[in-house]
């Protein structure tokens, strides 16, 4: 075989290896080969020693883009080996292309589906072997063949030359008159590479540009040189109220104009752009409903072939939308953080470390550790007055007559369902990190305004049209993304790998998989396509510009929520509707977060703070907006097919969980959970659990306690960063710190009260802030949650991470990591 030494045959597909050992030819073979090469033809039946394979990347300039072209892949489809196939085979070697050879249409299609070649050369000379045009049509039917160059090898005409239209109709780009000369084949490949293949390569890059246009938050319109509308992006559709199909193909003059513009403004604009100059200014556009919207407009002429203007690109930004890109983050890093608190509590924290370090991890380790956690719960250092009252009443009940004991039971029931759980926090002047965290996360801000109130403009919500390209189902998730999510049921799952694999869109992909695993679509009676659209809309309304409160944080909280829902005691407590509510609440809990805390918004007099009376501002906004986005369009309304009463129950559960992430009631939620669930369950265990399975079940499944479990679950998921593996914990700490630094910068710029002065990017000690946050907010809460749900791996990570931050602090380092050795 003419290419035997450089080709491997497998299942009728022949692959070039691109490598060969030095001693693979006999001297006789080599001499024959050299003679054949000098004649310009490959020696039939004898191998030509290929050049060693080198991976090459060619740089291609495409406007302002710099592209890198990988080594070209060529597929040769020849039923039998002959001098023509050998000519192309060795031309590929000389050009350093990867080459495959297929003998049948079936193997050719299979090979293309695997490798997606840049060039396919099909033998069109012998119809008795296979129908070349039918094969070309089959390959063209595959979406990924759009940018593939197809070449038909045809016989030289004996008489009059025929039409190429049948080849073009079949999908061929080019024909090649048979010529087995190796240099002729080589030149043909070079012409293809630098001509049609290079053009197709640039066209592929256009997909990235259009993706950027589709995702842009600015309204973009592209017209032809004659000002016929050729493209508008989703932001334009949403801003102007038109659907794309209503505009494309129309001339600009056919679209209604606002009467609020000066009479000569359009003439001024046209005069400017027709000269090839960019125009920028204020322009009133008329929406489909007749309203006028004032926009900052930039129109740029695009010069094309012949130096003529071929397109006009118009970028429009509503003037009331200027603050959109500046919004950043809310909840208190607490709900989403992993950051803070200092050495005042180090003795208490050290004690907790000692307790767990002596706990066995053997077969009885879980039980022993849970009892040690319960011991800490009984001696919590942050104890609200109501907790002390309940303890006194419990003690009094033990020696009281039955009527008194029953009366005290009623007292306890009242106390556990009213707002009496806020702890008494002493002054912490010796610990400014804790002081600032409590002030920044657990108050509604100083009521002193600077006179230059911080006003958030009305939020322009992101509308994602139904045609936006995304996975249709779990089966369509890209392999790289699917591989990244293989261990998503593990606590050590790396959300940042998924963030990178999905180009900062992890929520849609993780949501599809998690919701599928829990059967959410089946529970809601909702098609998977609607769920996909809903996830897209929700993710689009997270601010990618936020360093912390973005869709990656939402995906992280969703992951933690799903992990907790799989814990045995959580499953015993919650019903399916509770699980669905928890997953939805985790997904939406920070939607449209501006990257600032509630205290900041209240001090700045923002529209949201005014709307919600300075009370749970962001959490109320997240919950309200989530339902607005969901119910405004049937294409993304996951609740559409629910029965009314079930929907009301689910809606209330989602709202309650989102509001529970607000930090002003942090200690109330934790204390209620401890007193209503942890302590009663511990009392049953201490009594030996004699026939008390029903009592335990009643504690776990009572409606009031199910609410407490759900609140505790989402709170722990929201601020679980300190319990993640160290590298994830460090990354989250850096991100939340950057948001707080940005808030402090803006407070100083705006002349607002600085809510958390220690978060000054020039002086802040990140390790101290993490220590304070762990000591003040995390330790007691996760001790309680661990005692309930049994989470030894989380508690070990928490111990390790605390020691890491303490180590940095003891070295007086302020950074996320120690300096390199």
């Amino acid at each position: 075989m003419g290419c035997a030494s450089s080709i491997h045959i497998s299942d009728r597909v022949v692959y070039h290896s691109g490598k060969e050992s030095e001693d693979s030819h006999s001297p006789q073979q080599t001499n024959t080969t050299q003679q054949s090469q000098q004649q310009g033809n490959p020696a039939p039946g004898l191998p030509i020693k290929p050049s060693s394979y080198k991976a090459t990347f060619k740089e291609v300039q495409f406007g302002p883009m710099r592209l890198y072209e990988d080594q070209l892949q060529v597929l040769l489809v020849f039923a039998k080996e002959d001098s023509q196939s050998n000519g192309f085979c060795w031309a590929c070697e000389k050009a350093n292309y990867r080459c495959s050879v297929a003998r049948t249409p079936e193997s050719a299609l299979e090979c293309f589906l695997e490798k997606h070649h840049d060039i396919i050369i099909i033998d069109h000379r012998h119809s008795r072997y296979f129908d070349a045009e039918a094969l070309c049509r089959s390959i063209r039917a595959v979406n990924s063949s759009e940018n593939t160059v197809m070449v038909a090898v045809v016989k030289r005409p004996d008489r009059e030359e025929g039409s190429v239209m049948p080849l073009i109709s079949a999908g061929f780009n080019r024909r090649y008159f048979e010529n087995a000369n190796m240099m002729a084949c080589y030149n043909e490949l070079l012409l293809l590479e630098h001509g049609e293949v290079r053009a197709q390569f640039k066209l592929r890059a256009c997909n990235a540009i259009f993706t950027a246009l589709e995702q842009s938050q600015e309204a973009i319109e592209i017209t032809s040189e004659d000002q016929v509308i050729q493209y508008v992006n989703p932001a334009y559709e949403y801003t102007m109220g038109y659907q794309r199909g209503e505009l494309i193909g129309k001339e600009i003059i056919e679209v209604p104009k606002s009467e609020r513009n000066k009479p000569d403004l359009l003439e001024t604009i046209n005069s400017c752009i027709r000269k090839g100059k960019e125009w920028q200014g204020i322009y009133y556009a008329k929406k489909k409903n007749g309203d006028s919207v004032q926009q900052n407009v930039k129109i740029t002429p695009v010069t094309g072939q012949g130096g003529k203007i071929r397109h006009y690109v118009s970028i429009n930004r509503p003037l009331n939308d200027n603050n959109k890109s500046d919004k950043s983050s809310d909840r208190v890093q607490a709900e989403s953080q992993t950051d803070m608190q200092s050495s005042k509590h180090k003795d208490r924290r050290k004690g907790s470390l000692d307790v767990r370090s002596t706990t066995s991890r053997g077969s009885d380790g879980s039980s022993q550790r849970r009892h040690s956690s319960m011991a800490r719960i009984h001696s919590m250092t942050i104890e609200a007055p109501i907790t002390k009252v309940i303890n006194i009443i419990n003690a009094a009940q033990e020696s009281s007559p039955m009527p008194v004991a029953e009366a005290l039971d009623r007292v306890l029931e009242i106390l556990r369902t009213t707002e009496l759980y806020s702890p008494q926090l002493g002054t912490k002047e010796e610990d400014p990190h804790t002081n600032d965290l409590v002030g920044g996360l657990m108050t509604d801000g100083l009521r002193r305004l600077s006179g230059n109130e911080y006003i958030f403009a009305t939020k322009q919500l992101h509308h994602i049209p139904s045609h936006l390209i995304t996975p249709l189902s779990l089966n369509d998730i890209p392999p790289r993304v699917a591989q990244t999510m293989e261990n998503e049921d593990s606590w050590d799952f790396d959300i940042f790998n998924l963030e990178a694999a999905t180009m900062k869109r992890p929520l849609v992909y993780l949501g599809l998989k998690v919701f599928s695993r829990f059967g959410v679509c089946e529970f809601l009676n909702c098609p998977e396509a609607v769920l996909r659209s809903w996830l897209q809309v929700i993710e689009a309304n997270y601010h990618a510009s936020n360093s912390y409160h973005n869709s990656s944080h939402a995906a992280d909280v969703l992951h933690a929520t799903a992990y907790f829902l799989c814990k045995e005691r959580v499953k015993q407590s919650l019903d399916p509707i509770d699980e669905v509510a928890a997953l939805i609440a985790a997904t939406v809990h920070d939607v449209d977060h501006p990257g600032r805390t509630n205290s900041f918004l209240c001090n700045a007099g923002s529209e949201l703070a005014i709307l919600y009376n300075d009370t749970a501002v962001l959490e109320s906004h997240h919950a309200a907006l989530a339902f607005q986005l969901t119910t405004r369009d049937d294409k993304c309304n996951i609740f559409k097919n629910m029965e009314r009463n079930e929907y009301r129950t689910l809606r209330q559960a989602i709202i309650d969980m989102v509001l529970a992430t607000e930090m002003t009631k942090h200690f109330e939620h934790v204390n209620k959970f401890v007193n209503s669930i942890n302590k009663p369950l511990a009392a049953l265990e201490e009594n030996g659990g004699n026939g008390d399975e029903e009592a335990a079940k009643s504690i776990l499944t009572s409606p009031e306690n199910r609410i407490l479990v759900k609140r505790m679950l989402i709170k722990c998921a929201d601020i679980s960063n300190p319990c993640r593996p160290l590298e994830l914990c460090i990354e989250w700490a850096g991100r939340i710190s950057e948001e707080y630094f940005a808030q402090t910068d803006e407070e100083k710029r705006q002349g607002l009260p600085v809510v958390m002065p220690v978060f000054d990017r020039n002086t802040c000690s990140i390790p101290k802030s993490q220590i304070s946050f762990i000591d003040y907010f995390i330790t007691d809460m996760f001790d309680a949650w661990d005692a309930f749900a049994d989470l030894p791996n989380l508690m070990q990570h928490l111990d390790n991470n605390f020691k890491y931050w303490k180590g940095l602090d003891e070295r007086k380092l302020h950074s996320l990591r120690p300096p390199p050795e």
Side-chain angles (χ1 to χ4, degrees):
M1 293 179 63
C3 299
S5 65
S6 59
I7 299 175
H8 304 297
I9 301 178
S10 173
D11 295 332
R12 294 174 298 172
V13 180
V14 188
Y15 302 102
H16 265 265
S17 67
K19 293 183 179 179
E20 187 172 4
S21 63
E22 290 294 329
D23 59 352
S24 61
H25 304 293
S26 67
Q28 181 180 358
Q29 286 176 318
T30 304
N31 292 335
T32 307
T33 298
Q34 289 171 348
Q35 293 170 8
S36 179
Q37 284 178 312
Q38 289 169 2
Q39 296 168 2
N41 292 312
L46 292 175
I48 295 177
K49 189 174 185 179
S51 58
S52 61
Y53 164 75
K54 295 179 182 177
T56 56
F57 295 90
K58 296 182 180 178
E59 186 175 301
V60 179
Q61 198 70 30
F62 181 37
M65 289 184 74
R66 181 178 295 174
L67 310 175
Y68 293 93
E69 191 175 44
D70 198 358
Q71 188 178 32
L72 291 190
Q73 297 204 65
V74 179
L75 174 61
L76 306 178
V77 187
F78 287 80
K80 290 188 176 180
E81 180 183 347
D82 60 9
S83 59
Q84 183 66 74
S85 65
N86 287 340
F88 276 119
C89 175
W90 291 110
C92 288
E93 283 289 345
K94 183 174 178 63
N96 197 31
Y97 299 160
R98 293 194 183 104
C99 179
S100 308
V101 181
R103 300 299 185 203
T104 66
E106 294 79 14
S107 59
L109 188 58
E110 179 184 350
C111 186
F112 174 73
L113 290 173
E114 178 187 350
K115 296 180 178 294
H116 305 291
H117 304 80
D118 302 287
I119 301 172
I120 301 179
I121 300 175
I122 302 177
D123 187 0
H124 193 281
R125 298 168 298 167
H126 309 293
S127 59
R128 67 180 180 275
Y129 294 128
F130 58 77
D131 187 336
E133 292 177 16
L135 173 58
C136 183
R137 281 191 289 269
S138 297
I139 294 175
R140 285 296 186 204
V142 179
N143 288 335
S144 57
S145 71
E146 179 183 3
N147 301 114
T148 298
V149 177
M150 308 276 285
V151 181
V153 178
V154 299
K155 291 181 177 179
R156 288 190 174 278
D158 294 331
R159 303 184 189 84
E160 187 176 334
E161 184 171 328
S163 170
V164 297
M165 279 309 300
L167 297 179
I168 294 173
S169 300
F172 285 105
N173 302 89
R174 192 176 176 92
R175 70 177 176 182
Y176 177 82
F177 287 119
E178 62 178 337
N179 183 351
N181 182 279
M182 190 175 75
M183 285 308 297
C185 296
Y186 176 65
N187 289 335
E188 177 70 9
L189 292 179
L190 291 183
L191 288 171
L192 288 172
E193 177 187 359
H194 294 277
E196 286 158 87
V197 173
R198 184 66 53 81
Q200 293 295 337
F201 181 64
K202 292 179 178 180
L203 281 176
R204 287 206 304 270
C206 290
N207 292 333
I209 297 171
F210 274 105
T211 300
L213 294 176
E214 291 285 293
Q215 299 288 349
S216 174
Q217 297 180 16
E218 295 176 320
I220 298 173
E221 174 191 66
I222 300 177
T223 63
S224 70
E225 58 206 280
D226 300 321
Q227 297 204 339
V228 175
I229 299 173
Q230 296 179 319
Y231 171 83
V232 294
N233 71 341
Y236 187 98
E237 291 180 288
Y238 182 80
T239 302
M240 302 305 297
Y242 288 99
Q243 293 296 313
R244 189 173 290 181
E246 299 175 280
L247 295 172
I248 290 179
K250 284 190 176 182
E251 294 187 29
I252 286 286
I253 57 173
E254 297 180 61
V255 181
K257 303 291 184 295
S258 172
E259 299 77 16
R260 300 185 64 179
N261 294 306
K262 293 180 181 179
D264 59 347
L265 180 59
L266 283 176
E267 185 178 340
T268 302
I269 295 173
N270 288 329
S271 173
C272 177
I273 62 177
R274 282 172 182 161
K275 294 176 183 176
K277 297 179 180 178
E278 184 178 87
W279 183 87
Q280 183 168 358
I282 304 302
Y283 178 80
Y284 283 94
K286 193 168 189 176
K287 299 172 70 171
K288 183 178 179 180
N289 63 9
D291 294 343
S292 292
V293 55
Q294 191 180 25
Q295 297 179 328
N296 189 336
V297 177
K298 180 193 287 186
I299 304 176
T300 304
V302 180
T303 304
Q305 185 180 10
K308 292 180 60 179
I309 295 172
R310 299 295 182 180
H311 300 280
Y312 297 100
V313 176
S314 174
I315 301 176
N316 316 312
R317 178 184 294 175
L319 287 185
N320 65 351
D321 199 30
N322 291 338
N323 288 329
K324 178 167 63 177
S325 61
D326 297 331
K327 294 185 178 181
S328 266
S329 150
D330 125 346
R331 176 181 2 331
V332 174
Q333 141 199 15
E335 311 170 68
S336 58
Q337 182 244 11
T338 195
D339 195 7
M340 313 176 166
Q341 219 210 301
S342 146
S343 54
K344 171 175 186 216
H345 303 284
K346 65 184 179 181
D347 291 335
R348 177 169 62 79
R349 177 63 198 174
K350 184 172 183 296
S352 71
L353 292 175
D354 291 341
V355 167
R356 275 191 290 276
S357 66
T358 60
T359 300
S360 167
R361 295 291 186 216
S363 59
D364 296 327
S366 171
S367 173
Q368 293 179 17
R369 183 179 43 73
R370 186 174 292 178
H371 283 300
S372 68
S373 292
M374 285 309 307
R376 281 190 39 70
I377 288 167
H378 280 289
S379 58
M380 274 186 164
T381 56
I382 302 173
E383 191 173 39
I386 188 63
T387 307
K388 297 177 182 178
V389 171
I390 290 174
N391 288 339
I392 293 170
I393 294 174
N394 280 330
Q397 276 185 305
E398 295 178 3
S399 57
S400 297
M402 184 58 67
V404 175
E406 290 175 352
L408 292 175
D409 271 337
R410 289 194 294 274
V411 171
L412 288 173
E413 184 179 349
I414 293 169
L415 292 176
R416 285 172 177 153
T417 56
T418 53
E419 304 300 316
L420 302 172
Y421 283 82
S422 296
Q424 294 177 330
L425 302 176
T427 59
K428 295 179 174 57
E429 296 172 354
E430 70 275 36
D431 184 6
H433 290 80
T434 301
N435 208 26
D436 282 3
L437 282 171
V438 173
L441 306 183
M442 298 190 65
T443 66
D444 289 323
L446 305 171
R447 296 298 180 259
R448 172 172 59 84
L449 295 178
S450 61
N452 56 339
E453 286 78 12
Y454 187 89
I455 304 297
F456 278 105
T458 302
K459 167 71 176 173
Q460 181 175 344
L461 306 178
H462 297 290
H463 172 63
I464 304 297
S466 59
H467 63 266
L468 190 66
I469 300 171
T470 53
L472 293 175
S473 70
L474 278 172
N475 297 327
D476 296 313
I477 289 178
R480 182 187 172 200
V481 176
Q483 184 179 4
T484 305
M485 293 194 297
E486 282 179 352
N487 69 328
E488 57 86 17
D489 58 349
S490 164
W491 180 253
D492 294 347
F493 171 70
D494 191 336
I495 194 68
F496 300 115
N497 283 345
L498 183 61
E499 181 188 69
T502 61
M503 293 179 290
K504 296 190 175 182
R505 292 175 52 229
L507 190 57
V508 169
Y509 293 92
L510 185 65
L512 279 172
K513 186 164 186 186
V514 169
F515 279 48
S516 173
R517 179 152 62 92
F518 282 85
V520 173
C521 285
E522 291 80 356
F523 181 89
L524 298 174
N525 191 21
C526 150
E528 189 179 12
V530 174
L531 173 63
R532 178 206 69 228
S533 298
W534 178 78
L535 286 167
Q536 285 182 267
V537 169
I538 296 300
E539 182 152 46
N541 282 276
Y542 276 88
H543 296 207
S545 57
N546 291 348
S547 59
Y548 185 89
H549 288 100
N550 49 43
S551 68
S552 296
H553 165 66
D556 183 62
V557 175
L558 174 61
H559 171 262
T561 298
Y563 183 85
F564 293 153
L565 287 173
C566 293
K567 291 295 152 184
E568 191 56 37
R569 199 171 249 176
V570 176
K571 289 195 290 187
Q572 291 172 8
S573 178
L574 301 183
D575 291 336
I577 194 170
D578 298 315
E579 295 181 354
V580 172
L583 294 171
I584 294 173
T587 303
V588 306
H589 82 282
D590 267 340
V591 67
D592 196 35
H593 195 301
R596 299 291 182 265
T597 64
N598 280 332
S599 298
F600 176 94
L601 300 187
C602 294
N603 286 338
S606 74
E607 291 182 359
L608 287 180
I610 293 170
L611 176 65
Y612 294 110
N613 301 314
D614 291 350
T615 303
V617 174
L618 283 165
E619 292 71 22
S620 299
H621 176 58
H622 302 324
L625 179 63
F627 282 93
Q628 290 172 3
L629 293 171
T630 303
T631 58
R632 72 180 183 185
D633 187 346
D634 284 351
K635 292 177 182 176
C636 64
N637 187 354
I638 57 176
F639 307 126
K640 180 182 177 183
N641 297 325
M642 292 190 73
E643 187 270 328
R644 181 186 299 274
N645 289 334
E646 192 173 47
Y647 167 70
R648 288 175 61 86
T649 302
L650 180 65
R651 169 175 157 79
Q652 189 55 51
I654 294 168
I655 293 170
D656 185 82
M657 292 183 75
V658 173
L659 294 181
T661 61
E662 198 237 343
M663 289 302 288
T664 60
K665 295 186 177 180
H666 171 80
F667 293 103
E668 174 183 335
H669 294 317
V670 174
N671 275 290
K672 280 186 176 180
F673 183 85
V674 168
N675 287 304
S676 298
I677 298 176
N678 280 138
K679 289 185 178 179
L681 288 175
L684 288 178
E685 289 181 9
E686 289 167 3
N687 291 334
N690 298 326
D692 278 337
E693 284 186 11
E694 284 302 314
K697 184 178 178 181
S698 69
I699 293 171
L700 291 172
T701 60
S702 73
E704 302 81 10
N705 286 351
R706 278 170 48 211
I707 291 173
L708 298 181
V709 170
K710 286 182 289 184
R711 290 175 181 171
M712 192 72 163
L713 185 151
I714 197 168
K715 281 182 61 62
C716 290
D718 192 31
I719 53 175
S720 64
N721 306 152
C723 299
R724 292 286 188 183
L726 179 61
E727 284 304 312
L728 305 185
C729 172
I730 292 172
E731 176 65 18
W732 285 123
R735 292 187 178 201
I736 190 64
S737 298
E738 178 53 37
E739 274 203 8
Y740 284 172
F741 294 157
Q743 174 170 315
T744 299
D745 293 343
E746 185 165 4
E747 284 165 334
K748 291 177 179 178
R749 247 188 345 263
Q750 298 273 346
L752 296 171
V754 177
V755 175
M756 296 182 286
V758 296
F759 282 92
D760 184 310
R761 66 176 70 250
N762 299 315
T763 59
C764 180
S765 167
I766 294 178
K768 280 189 184 298
S769 70
Q770 287 297 311
I771 291 166
S772 296
F773 185 73
I774 290 171
D775 265 332
Y776 202 76
F777 293 102
I778 296 296
T779 304
D780 286 340
M781 182 174 74
F782 271 90
D783 273 330
W785 188 235
D786 170 50
F788 177 79
D790 191 20
L791 304 162
N793 51 338
L794 276 70
M795 305 310 287
Q796 188 60 56
H797 285 315
L798 179 59
D799 289 350
N800 295 341
N801 297 338
F802 184 84
K803 290 174 183 175
Y804 173 83
W805 298 120
K806 286 292 289 182
L808 293 182
D809 186 46
E810 286 166 2
R811 294 170 61 183
K812 309 235 181 295
L813 298 174
H814 287 192
S815 57
L816 287 167
R817 302 177 187 274
E821 291 293 328

